mmCIF file of all heavy atoms in Angstrom:
data_model
loop_
_atom_site.group_PDB
_atom_site.id
_atom_site.type_symbol
_atom_site.label_atom_id
_atom_site.label_comp_id
_atom_site.label_asym_id
_atom_site.label_seq_id
_atom_site.Cartn_x
_atom_site.Cartn_y
_atom_site.Cartn_z
ATOM 1 N N PHE A 85 8.646 16.225 -72.338
ATOM 2 C CA PHE A 85 9.499 15.540 -71.367
ATOM 3 C C PHE A 85 10.546 14.753 -72.118
ATOM 4 O O PHE A 85 10.290 13.638 -72.598
ATOM 5 C CB PHE A 85 8.615 14.643 -70.491
ATOM 6 C CG PHE A 85 9.337 13.976 -69.346
ATOM 7 C CD1 PHE A 85 10.215 14.691 -68.554
ATOM 8 C CD2 PHE A 85 9.136 12.638 -69.085
ATOM 9 C CE1 PHE A 85 10.899 14.067 -67.489
ATOM 10 C CE2 PHE A 85 9.788 12.005 -68.036
ATOM 11 C CZ PHE A 85 10.663 12.722 -67.251
ATOM 12 N N GLY A 86 11.735 15.344 -72.279
ATOM 13 C CA GLY A 86 12.727 14.758 -73.164
ATOM 14 C C GLY A 86 13.995 14.289 -72.447
ATOM 15 O O GLY A 86 14.230 14.642 -71.299
ATOM 16 N N ILE A 87 14.780 13.509 -73.164
ATOM 17 C CA ILE A 87 16.033 12.992 -72.629
ATOM 18 C C ILE A 87 17.045 12.869 -73.777
ATOM 19 O O ILE A 87 16.668 12.615 -74.917
ATOM 20 C CB ILE A 87 15.812 11.601 -71.976
ATOM 21 C CG1 ILE A 87 17.100 11.146 -71.258
ATOM 22 C CG2 ILE A 87 15.317 10.596 -72.962
ATOM 23 C CD1 ILE A 87 16.932 9.891 -70.429
ATOM 24 N N GLY A 88 18.316 13.067 -73.418
ATOM 25 C CA GLY A 88 19.402 12.858 -74.370
ATOM 26 C C GLY A 88 20.213 11.632 -73.985
ATOM 27 O O GLY A 88 21.112 11.744 -73.141
ATOM 28 N N PRO A 89 19.909 10.468 -74.511
ATOM 29 C CA PRO A 89 20.626 9.262 -74.107
ATOM 30 C C PRO A 89 22.101 9.308 -74.501
ATOM 31 O O PRO A 89 22.505 10.077 -75.394
ATOM 32 C CB PRO A 89 19.904 8.141 -74.862
ATOM 33 C CG PRO A 89 18.617 8.737 -75.362
ATOM 34 C CD PRO A 89 18.909 10.208 -75.531
ATOM 35 N N LEU A 90 22.912 8.485 -73.874
ATOM 36 C CA LEU A 90 24.295 8.339 -74.294
ATOM 37 C C LEU A 90 24.338 7.858 -75.755
ATOM 38 O O LEU A 90 23.413 7.207 -76.230
ATOM 39 C CB LEU A 90 25.025 7.345 -73.411
ATOM 40 C CG LEU A 90 25.153 7.721 -71.933
ATOM 41 C CD1 LEU A 90 25.770 6.536 -71.156
ATOM 42 C CD2 LEU A 90 25.988 8.981 -71.735
ATOM 43 N N LEU A 91 25.412 8.223 -76.439
ATOM 44 C CA LEU A 91 25.500 7.816 -77.859
ATOM 45 C C LEU A 91 25.394 6.324 -78.023
ATOM 46 O O LEU A 91 24.708 5.844 -78.962
ATOM 47 C CB LEU A 91 26.819 8.335 -78.451
ATOM 48 C CG LEU A 91 27.040 8.050 -79.928
ATOM 49 C CD1 LEU A 91 25.931 8.686 -80.781
ATOM 50 C CD2 LEU A 91 28.432 8.593 -80.383
ATOM 51 N N SER A 92 26.019 5.557 -77.145
ATOM 52 C CA SER A 92 25.916 4.100 -77.232
ATOM 53 C C SER A 92 24.478 3.633 -77.060
ATOM 54 O O SER A 92 24.050 2.612 -77.670
ATOM 55 C CB SER A 92 26.826 3.436 -76.193
ATOM 56 O OG SER A 92 26.445 3.834 -74.876
ATOM 57 N N GLN A 93 23.693 4.291 -76.240
ATOM 58 C CA GLN A 93 22.322 3.911 -76.012
ATOM 59 C C GLN A 93 21.431 4.215 -77.204
ATOM 60 O O GLN A 93 20.394 3.574 -77.415
ATOM 61 C CB GLN A 93 21.756 4.598 -74.767
ATOM 62 C CG GLN A 93 22.475 4.206 -73.496
ATOM 63 C CD GLN A 93 22.011 4.996 -72.300
ATOM 64 O OE1 GLN A 93 21.538 6.129 -72.428
ATOM 65 N NE2 GLN A 93 22.151 4.446 -71.101
ATOM 66 N N GLN A 94 21.831 5.230 -77.987
ATOM 67 C CA GLN A 94 21.029 5.610 -79.157
ATOM 68 C C GLN A 94 21.030 4.517 -80.233
ATOM 69 O O GLN A 94 20.148 4.476 -81.100
ATOM 70 C CB GLN A 94 21.545 6.927 -79.724
ATOM 71 C CG GLN A 94 21.406 8.093 -78.767
ATOM 72 C CD GLN A 94 22.032 9.368 -79.330
ATOM 73 O OE1 GLN A 94 22.145 9.561 -80.506
ATOM 74 N NE2 GLN A 94 22.422 10.281 -78.419
ATOM 75 N N TYR A 95 22.012 3.638 -80.194
ATOM 76 C CA TYR A 95 22.080 2.538 -81.161
ATOM 77 C C TYR A 95 21.271 1.326 -80.702
ATOM 78 O O TYR A 95 21.101 0.401 -81.480
ATOM 79 C CB TYR A 95 23.540 2.099 -81.380
ATOM 80 C CG TYR A 95 24.366 3.084 -82.161
ATOM 81 C CD1 TYR A 95 25.120 4.080 -81.533
ATOM 82 C CD2 TYR A 95 24.392 3.063 -83.571
ATOM 83 C CE1 TYR A 95 25.874 4.990 -82.263
ATOM 84 C CE2 TYR A 95 25.147 3.978 -84.289
ATOM 85 C CZ TYR A 95 25.886 4.949 -83.626
ATOM 86 O OH TYR A 95 26.638 5.825 -84.375
ATOM 87 N N ASP A 96 20.769 1.345 -79.490
ATOM 88 C CA ASP A 96 20.043 0.211 -78.937
ATOM 89 C C ASP A 96 18.561 0.520 -78.869
ATOM 90 O O ASP A 96 18.119 1.258 -77.989
ATOM 91 C CB ASP A 96 20.599 -0.119 -77.529
ATOM 92 C CG ASP A 96 20.090 -1.458 -77.007
ATOM 93 O OD1 ASP A 96 19.030 -1.911 -77.481
ATOM 94 O OD2 ASP A 96 20.763 -2.030 -76.142
ATOM 95 N N PRO A 97 17.754 -0.043 -79.759
ATOM 96 C CA PRO A 97 16.335 0.270 -79.753
ATOM 97 C C PRO A 97 15.622 -0.192 -78.477
ATOM 98 O O PRO A 97 14.620 0.423 -78.056
ATOM 99 C CB PRO A 97 15.784 -0.457 -80.989
ATOM 100 C CG PRO A 97 16.776 -1.488 -81.296
ATOM 101 C CD PRO A 97 18.129 -0.970 -80.865
ATOM 102 N N ALA A 98 16.128 -1.237 -77.826
ATOM 103 C CA ALA A 98 15.497 -1.724 -76.599
ATOM 104 C C ALA A 98 15.620 -0.659 -75.481
ATOM 105 O O ALA A 98 14.656 -0.451 -74.706
ATOM 106 C CB ALA A 98 16.155 -3.013 -76.135
ATOM 107 N N ILE A 99 16.752 -0.009 -75.403
ATOM 108 C CA ILE A 99 16.936 1.053 -74.392
ATOM 109 C C ILE A 99 16.030 2.232 -74.678
ATOM 110 O O ILE A 99 15.384 2.790 -73.807
ATOM 111 C CB ILE A 99 18.423 1.478 -74.311
ATOM 112 C CG1 ILE A 99 19.258 0.331 -73.782
ATOM 113 C CG2 ILE A 99 18.548 2.721 -73.436
ATOM 114 C CD1 ILE A 99 20.757 0.659 -73.717
ATOM 115 N N LEU A 100 15.987 2.653 -75.958
ATOM 116 C CA LEU A 100 15.103 3.765 -76.313
ATOM 117 C C LEU A 100 13.640 3.426 -76.048
ATOM 118 O O LEU A 100 12.859 4.287 -75.611
ATOM 119 C CB LEU A 100 15.309 4.125 -77.797
ATOM 120 C CG LEU A 100 16.682 4.681 -78.176
ATOM 121 C CD1 LEU A 100 16.698 5.076 -79.652
ATOM 122 C CD2 LEU A 100 17.059 5.868 -77.312
ATOM 123 N N GLN A 101 13.267 2.180 -76.326
ATOM 124 C CA GLN A 101 11.886 1.780 -76.068
ATOM 125 C C GLN A 101 11.568 1.826 -74.568
ATOM 126 O O GLN A 101 10.463 2.243 -74.180
ATOM 127 C CB GLN A 101 11.663 0.377 -76.614
ATOM 128 C CG GLN A 101 10.201 -0.095 -76.556
ATOM 129 C CD GLN A 101 9.327 0.714 -77.474
ATOM 130 O OE1 GLN A 101 9.494 0.731 -78.675
ATOM 131 N NE2 GLN A 101 8.336 1.429 -76.893
ATOM 132 N N GLU A 102 12.516 1.429 -73.748
ATOM 133 C CA GLU A 102 12.303 1.478 -72.302
ATOM 134 C C GLU A 102 12.176 2.919 -71.828
ATOM 135 O O GLU A 102 11.318 3.228 -70.999
ATOM 136 C CB GLU A 102 13.468 0.801 -71.584
ATOM 137 C CG GLU A 102 13.346 0.851 -70.053
ATOM 138 C CD GLU A 102 14.543 0.246 -69.345
ATOM 139 O OE1 GLU A 102 15.371 -0.389 -70.022
ATOM 140 O OE2 GLU A 102 14.645 0.428 -68.119
ATOM 141 N N LEU A 103 13.007 3.801 -72.344
ATOM 142 C CA LEU A 103 12.938 5.206 -71.958
ATOM 143 C C LEU A 103 11.568 5.803 -72.335
ATOM 144 O O LEU A 103 11.020 6.613 -71.581
ATOM 145 C CB LEU A 103 14.031 6.004 -72.666
ATOM 146 C CG LEU A 103 15.465 5.701 -72.209
ATOM 147 C CD1 LEU A 103 16.468 6.422 -73.105
ATOM 148 C CD2 LEU A 103 15.674 6.117 -70.760
ATOM 149 N N HIS A 104 11.048 5.374 -73.461
ATOM 150 C CA HIS A 104 9.770 5.937 -73.931
ATOM 151 C C HIS A 104 8.591 5.268 -73.262
ATOM 152 O O HIS A 104 7.705 5.973 -72.729
ATOM 153 C CB HIS A 104 9.688 5.728 -75.465
ATOM 154 C CG HIS A 104 8.383 6.217 -76.047
ATOM 155 N ND1 HIS A 104 7.952 7.516 -75.940
ATOM 156 C CD2 HIS A 104 7.417 5.544 -76.730
ATOM 157 C CE1 HIS A 104 6.786 7.646 -76.551
ATOM 158 N NE2 HIS A 104 6.440 6.461 -77.020
ATOM 159 N N SER A 105 8.535 3.942 -73.252
ATOM 160 C CA SER A 105 7.342 3.217 -72.799
ATOM 161 C C SER A 105 7.268 3.038 -71.279
ATOM 162 O O SER A 105 6.202 3.009 -70.716
ATOM 163 C CB SER A 105 7.270 1.845 -73.461
ATOM 164 O OG SER A 105 7.241 1.955 -74.861
ATOM 165 N N TYR A 106 8.417 2.937 -70.615
ATOM 166 C CA TYR A 106 8.426 2.716 -69.184
ATOM 167 C C TYR A 106 8.644 3.984 -68.372
ATOM 168 O O TYR A 106 7.911 4.270 -67.455
ATOM 169 C CB TYR A 106 9.512 1.667 -68.809
ATOM 170 C CG TYR A 106 9.505 1.310 -67.348
ATOM 171 C CD1 TYR A 106 8.615 0.393 -66.807
ATOM 172 C CD2 TYR A 106 10.434 1.912 -66.478
ATOM 173 C CE1 TYR A 106 8.608 0.091 -65.458
ATOM 174 C CE2 TYR A 106 10.427 1.613 -65.109
ATOM 175 C CZ TYR A 106 9.535 0.703 -64.622
ATOM 176 O OH TYR A 106 9.532 0.396 -63.269
ATOM 177 N N TRP A 107 9.668 4.758 -68.764
ATOM 178 C CA TRP A 107 10.009 5.967 -67.998
ATOM 179 C C TRP A 107 9.216 7.182 -68.423
ATOM 180 O O TRP A 107 9.256 8.215 -67.757
ATOM 181 C CB TRP A 107 11.496 6.246 -68.097
ATOM 182 C CG TRP A 107 12.321 5.182 -67.413
ATOM 183 C CD1 TRP A 107 13.069 4.208 -68.036
ATOM 184 C CD2 TRP A 107 12.446 4.957 -66.017
ATOM 185 N NE1 TRP A 107 13.641 3.415 -67.112
ATOM 186 C CE2 TRP A 107 13.285 3.841 -65.853
ATOM 187 C CE3 TRP A 107 11.951 5.604 -64.895
ATOM 188 C CZ2 TRP A 107 13.640 3.343 -64.603
ATOM 189 C CZ3 TRP A 107 12.286 5.090 -63.649
ATOM 190 C CH2 TRP A 107 13.132 3.984 -63.510
ATOM 191 N N GLY A 108 8.502 7.123 -69.556
ATOM 192 C CA GLY A 108 7.578 8.188 -69.897
ATOM 193 C C GLY A 108 8.155 9.328 -70.712
ATOM 194 O O GLY A 108 7.456 10.351 -70.907
ATOM 195 N N PHE A 109 9.415 9.223 -71.176
ATOM 196 C CA PHE A 109 9.945 10.295 -71.997
ATOM 197 C C PHE A 109 9.253 10.306 -73.346
ATOM 198 O O PHE A 109 9.120 9.298 -74.015
ATOM 199 C CB PHE A 109 11.464 10.128 -72.176
ATOM 200 C CG PHE A 109 12.266 10.294 -70.930
ATOM 201 C CD1 PHE A 109 12.733 9.194 -70.227
ATOM 202 C CD2 PHE A 109 12.512 11.561 -70.431
ATOM 203 C CE1 PHE A 109 13.454 9.370 -69.055
ATOM 204 C CE2 PHE A 109 13.241 11.743 -69.265
ATOM 205 C CZ PHE A 109 13.710 10.641 -68.575
ATOM 206 N N ASN A 110 8.789 11.512 -73.764
ATOM 207 C CA ASN A 110 8.090 11.597 -75.044
ATOM 208 C C ASN A 110 8.875 12.377 -76.100
ATOM 209 O O ASN A 110 8.426 12.515 -77.234
ATOM 210 C CB ASN A 110 6.692 12.195 -74.868
ATOM 211 C CG ASN A 110 6.719 13.552 -74.170
ATOM 212 O OD1 ASN A 110 7.780 14.078 -73.893
ATOM 213 N ND2 ASN A 110 5.547 14.096 -73.900
ATOM 214 N N TYR A 111 10.057 12.881 -75.753
ATOM 215 C CA TYR A 111 10.971 13.517 -76.691
ATOM 216 C C TYR A 111 12.369 12.987 -76.475
ATOM 217 O O TYR A 111 12.720 12.624 -75.359
ATOM 218 C CB TYR A 111 10.964 15.057 -76.522
ATOM 219 C CG TYR A 111 9.731 15.739 -77.076
ATOM 220 C CD1 TYR A 111 8.524 15.725 -76.387
ATOM 221 C CD2 TYR A 111 9.778 16.412 -78.302
ATOM 222 C CE1 TYR A 111 7.387 16.344 -76.890
ATOM 223 C CE2 TYR A 111 8.646 17.027 -78.836
ATOM 224 C CZ TYR A 111 7.459 16.983 -78.131
ATOM 225 O OH TYR A 111 6.334 17.594 -78.641
ATOM 226 N N VAL A 112 13.158 12.983 -77.529
ATOM 227 C CA VAL A 112 14.503 12.439 -77.438
ATOM 228 C C VAL A 112 15.461 13.293 -78.260
ATOM 229 O O VAL A 112 15.090 13.842 -79.306
ATOM 230 C CB VAL A 112 14.551 10.961 -77.929
ATOM 231 C CG1 VAL A 112 14.240 10.859 -79.402
ATOM 232 C CG2 VAL A 112 15.880 10.308 -77.570
ATOM 233 N N ALA A 113 16.691 13.445 -77.771
ATOM 234 C CA ALA A 113 17.741 14.159 -78.493
ATOM 235 C C ALA A 113 18.764 13.132 -78.952
ATOM 236 O O ALA A 113 19.222 12.290 -78.197
ATOM 237 C CB ALA A 113 18.416 15.184 -77.591
ATOM 238 N N ILE A 114 19.103 13.175 -80.270
ATOM 239 C CA ILE A 114 20.056 12.212 -80.806
ATOM 240 C C ILE A 114 21.142 12.961 -81.586
ATOM 241 O O ILE A 114 20.935 14.049 -82.091
ATOM 242 C CB ILE A 114 19.373 11.181 -81.746
ATOM 243 C CG1 ILE A 114 18.702 11.920 -82.919
ATOM 244 C CG2 ILE A 114 18.370 10.362 -80.972
ATOM 245 C CD1 ILE A 114 18.252 10.953 -84.014
ATOM 246 N N VAL A 115 22.303 12.332 -81.654
ATOM 247 C CA VAL A 115 23.410 12.910 -82.403
ATOM 248 C C VAL A 115 23.311 12.418 -83.861
ATOM 249 O O VAL A 115 23.221 11.221 -84.112
ATOM 250 C CB VAL A 115 24.756 12.449 -81.789
ATOM 251 C CG1 VAL A 115 25.907 12.991 -82.634
ATOM 252 C CG2 VAL A 115 24.876 12.949 -80.354
ATOM 253 N N ILE A 116 23.331 13.374 -84.779
ATOM 254 C CA ILE A 116 23.238 13.039 -86.204
ATOM 255 C C ILE A 116 24.604 12.544 -86.700
ATOM 256 O O ILE A 116 25.641 13.099 -86.334
ATOM 257 C CB ILE A 116 22.776 14.248 -87.020
ATOM 258 C CG1 ILE A 116 21.388 14.689 -86.566
ATOM 259 C CG2 ILE A 116 22.752 13.928 -88.489
ATOM 260 C CD1 ILE A 116 20.339 13.649 -86.730
#
Side-chain angles (χ1 to χ4, degrees):
F85 186 45
I87 186 172
L90 297 174
L91 182 59
S92 59
Q93 296 174 335
Q94 297 175 26
Y95 288 93
D96 191 337
I99 293 178
L100 294 184
Q101 187 66 62
E102 179 184 349
L103 292 173
H104 177 60
S105 301
Y106 183 81
W107 294 106
F109 292 102
N110 55 5
Y111 284 78
V112 66
I114 61 170
V115 177
I116 299 299

